[in-house]
Amino acid sequence: MDTYARISIRFFMLICIFTSSGVIVAGESSADKDMIKRGQYLIQIGGCNDCHTPGYLMNSGTTPIAQWLTGDSFGWFGPWGTTYPPNLRLFVQNLTEAQWIKEAKTLKRRPPMPWFNLNAMKNEDLKAMYHFIKSLGAPGKQAPAFLPPGKQPPMPFATFPAPPPDKQVKK
Ligand code: HEC
């Protein structure tokens, strides 16, 4: 084999390496995109926007994604006090994927947060939700702070009856 042929073979191999690594990179980013899309879907059908996205429940889910999960100042008033759905972008901001999964599988919160549904979600689903929340833009500001029982919240808020005594969960 002459030198020219050898060089061309090497050159050809180099091109192959570059091309295949390019394919791998492109493959990874489209897998990420799929995961983020799945996270968006799970957040939507999991009902998270209903409370954690401003106006979402009342405007038939038309709140733009740019505002999803930024928390809400609509209060949920009951014997537990008044709770406000926190800004989930801020909540995940300082958590690693593993910390989020652990939190999501174990956390308990005051009503009306359906923490028991979140606890029941599978790791793969929680992972996708995490990457979707992280992919959302500017985190925005904190929702109003929790008000202790008996403190009158400002409008707007909804009033709830007490849950049965044996079903009450302390934070
Ligand atoms: C019916 C309303 C409602 C729905 C639906 C809901 N949440 Fe919540 N969520 C709340 C409220 C209110 C709180 C704050 C409870 C408290 O102060 O103890 C909360 C708290 C949380 C927290 C704790 C945040 C922190 O800062 O401590 C997480 C995480 C969370 N929700 C995630 C979710 C996810 C994920 C979904 C969808 C699967 C979801 N929530 C659905 C109302 C809701």
Side-chain angles (χ1 to χ4, degrees):
M1 211 187 291
D2 65 10
T3 323
Y4 180 72
R6 249 187 239 139
I7 289 172
S8 337
I9 289 171
R10 283 208 188 130
F11 186 66
F12 176 71
M13 281 166 71
L14 263 180
I15 299 270
C16 288
I17 291 165
F18 277 133
T19 321
S20 60
S21 58
V23 168
I24 291 167
V25 170
E28 266 172 14
S29 60
S30 80
D32 284 353
K33 269 196 207 130
D34 288 349
M35 193 202 276
I36 287 171
K37 273 269 158 222
R38 191 171 150 66
Q40 178 181 336
Y41 167 75
L42 289 164
I43 289 285
Q44 184 176 359
I45 62 161
C48 318
N49 285 317
D50 299 358
C51 298
H52 289 270
T53 296
Y56 191 88
L57 200 55
M58 296 300 157
N59 66 21
S60 311
T62 53
T63 307
I65 296 182
Q67 288 166 37
W68 278 24
L69 307 181
T70 51
D72 201 4
S73 54
F74 183 88
W76 300 82
F77 174 81
W80 59 83
T82 307
T83 46
Y84 295 92
N87 179 329
L88 295 185
R89 298 184 186 193
L90 289 173
F91 184 73
V92 299
Q93 206 172 38
N94 299 318
L95 297 181
T96 63
E97 182 191 289
Q99 286 168 333
W100 155 256
I101 292 177
K102 193 164 172 236
E103 272 289 319
K105 287 194 118 31
T106 53
L107 65 72
K108 282 189 167 49
R109 290 295 189 273
R110 289 171 284 242
M113 170 60 200
W115 51 267
F116 35 87
N117 294 338
L118 187 57
N119 292 175
M121 287 185 180
K122 298 194 168 116
N123 286 14
E124 277 309 296
D125 295 338
L126 290 169
K127 193 173 156 182
M129 287 159 76
Y130 173 84
H131 288 284
F132 170 64
I133 302 173
K134 280 247 158 164
S135 80
L136 292 167
K141 55 182 177 51
Q142 296 283 5
F146 162 75
L147 296 175
K151 222 174 164 199
Q152 186 63 24
M155 288 295 281
F157 65 90
T159 305
F160 271 73
D166 62 323
K167 294 281 187 297
Q168 290 183 16
V169 178
K170 297 272 175 303
K171 196 181 172 187

